[in-house]
Amino acid sequence: MLHIKDLRVSVEDKEILKGVNLDINPGEVHAIMGPNGSGKSTLANAIAGREEYQITQGSITFDGQDLLDMEVDERAHAGVFMAFQYPIEIPGVSNATFLKSAINALREARGQEELSPVELLKLLREKARMLGIDESFLKRSLNEGFSGGEKKRNEMLQMALLEPKLGILDETDSGLDIDALRIVADAVNQLRGPERSFLIVTHYQRLLNYIVPDYVHVIYDGRIVKSGDKELAIQLEEQGYDWIKAEAVAG
Amino acid sequence: MSAVLQDQHTTTKDWLNDLFQVYEDGLNGHRDHPLAEFRRRAFRELQEQDFPTRRDEDWKYTSVTPMLKQPYQEGRPVALEAKDLESAVYPELNAVKLVFTNGVLDTRHSDLDELPEGLHILPVSQAMEEEETRRWIEAQVEQEGGTGKNTFLPLNRAFAGQGLLVRAERNAAIERPVHLIYLSAPGADPHFAHPQLFVQAKTGSRLILIESYRALESDSLYFTNAANWIELAANARVDHYRLQRESRAAYQIHNTLVRQDRDSTYSAYAADLGGKLVRNNLSTTLLNSNTQTNYYAIYLGNGKQHLDNQTFIDHAVPYCQSNELYKGILTDSARGVFNGKVMVRQDAQKTNAFQQNSSLVLSPRAVMDTKPQLEIYADDVRCSHGATIGQLDETAVFYLRSRGIPERQARNLLQQAFLGEVVDFMDLEPVAERVRALIEEKLREA
Ligand SMILES: Nc1ncnc2c1ncn2[C@@H]1O[C@H](COP(=O)(O)OP(=O)(O)O)[C@@H](O)[C@H]1O
Ligand SMILES: [Mg+2]
């Protein structure tokens, strides 16, 4: 489904990703771990299509299409969704307006009819309830004045509504208490299916107790330096990242 | 004055002379009518004045030359069809409608009979025939000087023959808004229109005014020079809306002079969407304490539109509040001007004055000139003012697009949100909805 080959990405002329290779098949859950500043968010943003991240080399294909050739909104239409590490606050655009616009834009791109306001509201309410989000949220400005946990849950609400083929979670777990963490994990687990894959970026192993990954990769200094199964996450939790760094330096 | 300017002003004065002569010649037996006298006096005043040039500080960014060089004809009435009124009338308001076409009152489509209790609307010509109302009107005119010389006021008084006096009686809370619908219909273009309104809100009264300007043809050429004199007696409240979408070729000068007595509240809400060159002169003189003055306005310019807002709030007495928020967006080669003066005189202790102008300039050729001016001569006051000019937040654009919202729509949503902050202040929800729809429509067509 997603094939990343020798991806090099620079930000402001500084090379951050230095040749990343990653293959994700339909239905798989991959976790990406690594110390702060190693390039996890850069990888997520490069897939989502953020302009500041310049691709200097390599390729990303998604469902056989050249993802790097697609506009940001086209990537979303193709089924890529990234939950932001720091969701943006947009005063004056209500959460409901935003969600309606997104759902209908996606439906239009997929050749489906727009949902009627009644159908939309029903859908919004149903998914909000699933994520433990109060309905009053929908009337408020997008993320404005939301707590960290509320913002993350709002990201999960968007993912649940947009039903992507690939869901990327960029440290959605950080700053969440255990209840909120469970809600996020439930949302992902409910969406898991043979055709839907996830890339879970996390700093801690904690989230992976609830969302059990098929593969775990460790990224360090812009490269994936180690891959394994969920045992690798546990090992990292116990031993920290120093041994990874040492191995990487030793080559 | 340079020879070129001299020439050009001579040309303007020539067609104005011709136009006034047409009026004089048509008077026949009414030469001595008090309105004729009133207009003649104004015309003499006009002859003694010069139109502003860009050397005048308040006209630095706006040239009236292209506007004044046309030899305009008096606007002529046009028989309206039902469809012409459809998008101009807001049925949900249940308003008292006053429809003007090309500056001429269309009595057939206006609600001049069966006005709500406490509301009086009469032509200025009739008001002039009564001693008391004539004196009141003349008193309003005499106050004009206090806000600095504005040639467009005598211009309006000299040529307006269809002015109205709107009066809310003592303690009358008039719930139905008064909707002034100014339509421009193609006909004898270029034409000249002079909407004129004298508003008397008596003690304790409540009045909602809505002015809407609209062209039935998107590129007809005309010049609208509107003037409102509004007086609020003690404890009166006037909400004054203005929705402007003139044609792409139209010129508009809009003048509003407000005078407020104690405990009164005046709120101006405006949306400038149309017009080629639009200049708003809005000023308030505070006569007594405990007043509230609100100015909320948006401007949205594209193409070569030029939208200029001049405001003046004169705090001369203590314990008064003023709030001013102007927000606008300029794209293509559009130009915006904001010149907001707030004067806090020595006696105006405990004044609360807030002023903010924020603009988004979305193209390299678009320009915004902003000049917030706060002059404070009292020491115990709370005043703030500020101006910002910026672009859309690109991370916000990315966020919306990453959810599948196409770029154009994402940018429109953010622009609507930016202006929405002002629209949200509009108390009259049906009007706010109309303004939101007009903004959306304009953003979509651009
Ligand atoms: N927008 C940006 N501007 C400048 N530097 C950036 C930007 N984004 C990331 N970086 C730099 O790139 C490196 C990797 O960042 P990031 O991908 O956010 O790491 P992680 O998510 O693993 O903590 C860091 O050194 C960070 O400072
Ligand atoms: Mg990160």
Side-chain angles (χ1 to χ4, degrees):
Chain A
M1 165 184 275
L2 183 79
H3 301 285
I4 300 178
K5 280 202 181 60
D6 192 26
L7 186 72
R8 289 173 180 265
V9 178
S10 295
V11 180
E12 290 169 355
D13 291 330
K14 184 179 153 213
E15 185 162 73
I16 310 292
L17 294 187
K18 302 169 179 172
V20 169
N21 292 289
L22 182 66
D23 293 295
I24 300 181
N25 293 311
E28 291 177 354
V29 175
H30 290 239
I32 299 260
M33 301 184 73
N36 274 332
S38 57
K40 303 184 295 295
S41 292
T42 304
L43 179 62
N45 279 288
I47 301 170
R50 196 158 182 162
E51 264 161 38
E52 301 95 286
Y53 295 81
Q54 303 131 22
I55 317 291
T56 55
Q57 199 178 303
S59 67
I60 307 179
T61 55
F62 182 72
D63 269 352
Q65 289 175 278
D66 179 0
L67 199 70
L68 297 179
D69 199 34
M70 292 159 75
E71 295 287 337
V72 178
D73 39 311
E74 290 171 342
R75 296 184 197 200
H77 301 159
V80 174
F81 179 95
M82 177 182 73
F84 284 53
Q85 182 172 1
Y86 305 106
I88 316 295
E89 297 194 10
I90 306 187
V93 175
S94 80
N95 217 2
T97 303
F98 163 66
L99 294 169
K100 284 180 201 167
S101 306
I103 291 166
N104 281 328
L106 221 61
R107 293 182 69 89
E108 197 189 322
R110 292 171 182 169
Q112 296 166 314
E113 295 231 335
E114 278 201 357
L115 285 186
S116 74
V118 177
E119 290 170 313
L120 260 168
L121 193 64
K122 198 168 151 264
L123 184 67
L124 290 182
R125 282 189 175 149
E126 177 195 314
K127 301 284 183 186
R129 204 174 313 123
M130 181 183 111
L131 284 155
I133 289 176
D134 194 272
E135 251 183 63
S136 65
F137 254 60
L138 300 171
K139 292 205 185 89
R140 284 165 63 185
S141 279
L142 178 50
N143 292 331
E144 193 187 27
F146 285 24
S147 72
E150 288 172 335
K151 284 180 184 166
K152 297 298 177 73
R153 265 188 286 169
N154 202 21
E155 294 292 288
M156 290 301 100
L157 173 62
Q158 293 164 37
M159 187 170 75
L161 286 165
L162 300 179
E163 301 182 327
K165 285 186 189 158
L166 173 67
I168 304 168
L169 276 63
D170 189 1
E171 294 206 28
T172 301
D173 53 333
S174 57
L176 293 190
D177 62 25
I178 197 74
D179 292 333
L181 196 74
R182 280 219 174 91
I183 288 171
V184 166
D186 281 352
V188 172
N189 289 329
Q190 283 193 37
L191 283 169
R192 272 179 95 156
E195 296 303 319
R196 188 170 287 130
S197 313
F198 289 91
L199 184 62
I200 314 254
V201 173
T202 180
H203 193 67
Y204 307 101
Q205 185 264 344
R206 198 174 59 145
L207 180 65
L208 304 180
N209 289 333
Y210 300 95
I211 308 172
V212 181
D214 299 303
Y215 299 95
V216 174
H217 311 277
V218 181
I219 193 166
Y220 176 67
D221 192 23
R223 285 186 192 90
I224 291 180
V225 293
K226 206 162 189 69
S227 295
D229 60 11
K230 62 179 197 289
E231 296 305 322
L232 178 57
I234 295 166
Q235 196 182 350
L236 286 169
E237 181 75 3
E238 284 165 0
Q239 301 177 12
Y241 286 105
D242 285 347
W243 63 279
I244 295 277
K245 293 180 191 174
E247 272 191 24
V249 171
Chain B
M1 194 180 283
S2 76
V4 175
L5 265 177
Q6 191 82 55
D7 275 3
Q8 175 216 307
H9 282 197
T10 313
T11 320
T12 302
K13 294 218 158 159
D14 281 350
W15 69 254
L16 283 172
N17 270 324
D18 293 348
L19 212 54
F20 200 76
Q21 200 54 52
V22 172
Y23 166 66
E24 287 276 12
D25 293 346
L27 275 172
N28 296 324
H30 302 283
R31 287 191 172 279
D32 300 329
H33 190 279
L35 178 62
E37 281 296 332
F38 181 73
R39 290 180 58 175
R40 224 170 267 134
R41 270 203 308 278
F43 189 68
R44 279 199 296 273
E45 236 179 280
L46 182 67
Q47 281 178 312
E48 284 160 19
Q49 295 184 14
D50 283 317
F51 282 101
T53 71
R54 293 184 58 175
R55 276 171 303 183
D56 292 290
E57 190 54 31
D58 290 349
W59 292 86
K60 196 168 157 191
Y61 303 108
T62 301
S63 166
V64 295
T65 308
M67 181 176 77
L68 292 174
K69 71 173 185 230
Q70 323 278 346
Y72 297 97
Q73 304 293 311
E74 273 302 335
R76 274 187 234 131
V78 172
L80 290 175
E81 290 169 33
K83 72 165 172 46
D84 296 334
L85 278 167
E86 232 163 60
S87 62
V89 170
Y90 305 158
E92 69 274 24
L93 283 176
N94 183 31
V96 174
K97 298 188 300 295
L98 298 157
V99 178
F100 292 79
T101 44
N102 299 339
V104 184
L105 183 66
D106 181 334
T107 47
R108 201 161 68 89
H109 293 106
S110 299
D111 306 323
L112 285 163
D113 308 322
E114 295 180 39
L115 297 177
E117 205 179 314
L119 176 68
H120 297 271
I121 300 178
L122 66 160
V124 169
S125 58
Q126 194 184 323
M128 281 291 176
E129 290 167 2
E130 293 164 33
E131 173 76 8
E132 195 189 331
T133 40
R134 182 176 58 77
R135 279 179 188 281
W136 180 80
I137 287 174
E138 282 169 354
Q140 302 309 302
V141 168
E142 272 161 34
Q143 309 294 334
E144 282 171 19
T147 55
K149 188 189 71 173
N150 174 359
T151 319
F152 292 95
L153 292 171
L155 181 66
N156 175 277
R157 283 187 274 110
F159 287 94
Q162 303 273 319
L164 294 178
L165 172 73
V166 176
R167 185 169 60 226
E169 288 303 349
R170 200 183 165 86
N171 294 331
I174 320 273
E175 272 174 39
R176 287 175 67 194
V178 176
H179 188 184
L180 298 128
I181 300 171
Y182 297 110
L183 290 173
S184 278
D189 283 346
H191 76 260
F192 191 13
H194 334 274
Q196 183 184 68
L197 217 55
F198 288 92
V199 179
Q200 189 177 20
K202 291 201 166 177
T203 306
S205 65
R206 165 97 176 84
L207 184 63
I208 304 169
L209 297 169
I210 303 162
E211 285 177 76
S212 63
Y213 294 86
R214 179 171 154 63
L216 296 178
E217 211 175 64
S218 62
D219 53 5
S220 49
L221 172 64
Y222 53 91
F223 170 22
T224 303
N225 178 42
N228 302 315
W229 291 259
I230 302 175
E231 187 186 71
L232 290 85
N235 222 359
R237 175 174 170 189
V238 173
D239 287 359
H240 182 191
Y241 295 83
R242 179 175 160 277
L243 277 60
Q244 183 277 112
R245 41 176 186 156
E246 298 277 30
S247 88
R248 278 193 297 261
Y251 298 103
Q252 182 177 119
I253 305 276
H254 192 275
N255 307 282
T256 297
L257 298 168
V258 183
R259 289 160 20 89
Q260 288 185 247
D261 207 337
R262 70 177 166 77
D263 302 319
S264 63
T265 301
Y266 170 79
S267 303
Y269 307 95
D272 269 305
L273 299 156
K276 180 182 186 182
L277 183 154
V278 177
R279 159 74 170 227
N280 298 307
N281 299 310
L282 171 59
S283 69
T284 299
T285 306
L286 305 175
L287 307 172
N288 216 323
S289 37
N290 256 321
T291 58
Q292 169 103 32
T293 307
N294 304 306
Y295 292 176
Y296 293 109
I298 61 132
Y299 43 96
L300 179 55
N302 61 19
K304 290 185 172 172
Q305 282 185 281
H306 184 112
L307 306 170
D308 178 348
N309 280 296
Q310 304 274 321
T311 69
F312 180 43
I313 300 178
D314 190 352
H315 284 272
V317 289
Y319 295 102
C320 292
Q321 282 208 34
S322 64
N323 286 303
E324 204 173 341
L325 179 63
Y326 277 68
K327 290 183 92 168
I329 304 176
L330 303 161
T331 54
D332 302 334
S333 301
R335 182 153 194 173
V337 182
F338 176 78
N339 189 3
K341 271 183 237 172
V342 178
M343 171 83 88
V344 183
R345 296 182 195 269
Q346 206 165 1
D347 289 340
Q349 299 296 0
K350 306 284 181 193
T351 289
N352 248 322
F354 163 84
Q355 184 194 69
Q356 176 71 33
N357 173 226
S358 306
S359 306
L360 296 177
V361 176
L362 303 183
S363 116
R365 278 162 295 131
V367 181
M368 178 70 206
D369 289 294
T370 179
K371 194 165 131 192
Q373 300 178 62
L374 190 54
E375 281 184 48
I376 306 177
Y377 300 98
D379 46 26
D380 186 12
V381 297
R382 279 189 25 217
C383 300
S384 73
H385 70 149
T388 61
I389 295 175
Q391 277 92 40
L392 286 179
D393 176 359
E394 289 301 323
T395 50
V397 176
F398 174 73
Y399 189 60
L400 298 177
R401 292 184 70 199
S402 77
R403 299 312 183 230
I405 300 173
E407 177 164 14
R408 173 73 184 272
Q409 194 187 343
R411 291 185 185 278
N412 286 358
L413 272 175
L414 294 173
Q415 292 180 63
Q416 281 165 257
F418 178 77
L419 299 178
E421 189 195 348
V422 174
V423 183
D424 288 347
F425 280 104
M426 297 183 179
D427 269 343
L428 204 58
E429 194 45 36
V431 175
E433 269 311 308
R434 290 278 177 173
V435 173
R436 287 188 196 103
L438 291 176
I439 292 170
E440 197 182 334
E441 184 186 305
K442 177 151 186 178
L443 288 172
R444 237 180 311 139
E445 88 198 6

